[in-house]
Amino acid sequence: MRNIQLGSSGVMVPTIAVGCMRIVGLDAKRAEHFLKTALENGANFFDHADCYSGGRCEELFADALHMNADMREKVFIQTKCGNVDNPYGHWMYNFSKNHILEAVEGSLRRLKTDYIDMLLLHRPDPLMEPEEIAEAFEKLYTEGKVRHFGVSNQNVMQMQLLQKYIRQPLIVNQVQMGVGHTSILDHGMFMNMEMPFGTDRDGGLYEYSRLQEFTLQAWSPFRVGCYCEELVIDNPKYQRLNDALEEVGDRYGVSKTTMALAWLLRLPAHIQPVTGTMNEGRLLECLKAAEIEISRAEWYSIYAAGGHQLP
């Protein structure tokens, strides 16, 4: 598989990351086979979070890989922390120094490893103290427990605030992005237009990623809605978009799933999509997108089919 550089780090990783949030839906044998298929096809970047099924995803992943020192050097493991249960109900966020350190120790134990390649702060925490986060990151880095750092779902100013205090560069921001969720691009395309597409919801994050040379990872690239309520592929509500994906895909002999990721990969910001499937066949469809570069005209035809009438 084609590789990309993670931000300005110099670290080369697969263009497409394998998300492991749903791995708990597999039994041990199927999980082992799925991960073997990924590795055999060059997909050795795996995305986790300590809140995914209460940490069970990390445990099952390590067990299915039969994690040992040799296997550890063959995979790139990214995990996230900060989302915690609220005793008064639902979620809350905790970016305190103590919690970050405790969360990493828990992930290390469940993943059966002594280091994490990349740690992301999962969601913005309005109560965060950047100085505390900087202390936690420094300790984890100097002790060799975390090699690289990033964030998830944060806007430009939130990243700038953190980076003011953190010595290590934030080389990733993982955000919702895909053919059905294009707001990160829309406000630039419809700048100064009195229409919903022109609303800036992230402070110019797409352009900022290129200026500061960090990687945007796209989570749920096939879903649409604030809470990823619906899949786009084969959904009759998005027939025009599906028709465009199929039309362009037919020219390359690939599926709509492949074409949806190829559309993301055509962006010059070097997006790294994060898959969510636990189906080997669909994973291979996703990975095939790294072999395709669609034309500018094809990219715009798919964008327009998503309901965007260009000004």
Side-chain angles (χ1 to χ4, degrees), residues 189-204:
M189 303 275 278
F190 293 85
M191 189 277 296
N192 203 34
M193 304 291 289
E194 294 183 356
M195 53 199 312
F197 288 139
T199 302
D200 183 352
R201 294 180 169 85
D202 54 53

Side-chain angles (χ1 to χ4, degrees), residues 1-2 14-19 34 41 43 218 220-222 231 233 254-265 272-292:
M1 186 198 301
R2 178 163 55 91
T15 307
I16 295 172
V18 180
F34 175 81
N41 287 274
S220 290
F222 303 107
L231 278 169
I233 306 299
V254 299
S255 69
K256 289 178 283 188
T257 293
T258 303
M259 188 47 55
L261 288 194
W263 181 85
L264 270 179
L265 296 178
Q272 186 186 34
V274 181
T275 66
T277 184
M278 291 291 112
N279 178 285
E280 288 95 339
R282 191 154 184 262
L283 176 65
L284 294 177
E285 287 184 71
C286 292
L287 300 183
K288 196 167 186 178
E291 305 169 10
I292 297 169

Side-chain angles (χ1 to χ4, degrees), residues 6-7 45 47-49 52 76 78-83 95 100 117-125 128 130 133-134 137 146 148-166 168-176 184 202 205 208-209 212-219 272 274:
L6 269 183
F45 188 115
D47 175 71
H48 290 271
Y52 292 164
F76 190 103
Q78 170 177 284
T79 196
K80 301 182 280 294
C81 72
N83 283 18
F95 288 165
I100 292 172
D117 294 288
M118 175 99 70
L119 177 69
L120 306 186
L121 299 177
H122 205 157
R123 283 276 179 181
D125 176 13
M128 72 179 183
I133 296 172
F137 281 14
V146 177
H148 304 283
F149 298 88
V151 296
S152 182
N153 307 298
Q154 299 209 10
N155 65 31
V156 168
M157 293 304 293
Q158 289 163 339
M159 290 192 73
Q160 287 184 338
L161 175 61
L162 283 171
Q163 195 65 83
K164 176 182 177 180
Y165 295 91
I166 296 169
Q168 297 77 19
L170 300 172
I171 62 173
V172 159
N173 191 351
Q174 188 178 121
V175 297
Q176 185 179 0
I184 196 170
D202 54 53
L205 186 63
Y208 186 66
S209 74
Q212 298 299 316
E213 297 184 329
F214 61 84
T215 296
L216 285 173
Q217 294 178 340
W219 59 265
Q272 186 186 34
V274 181

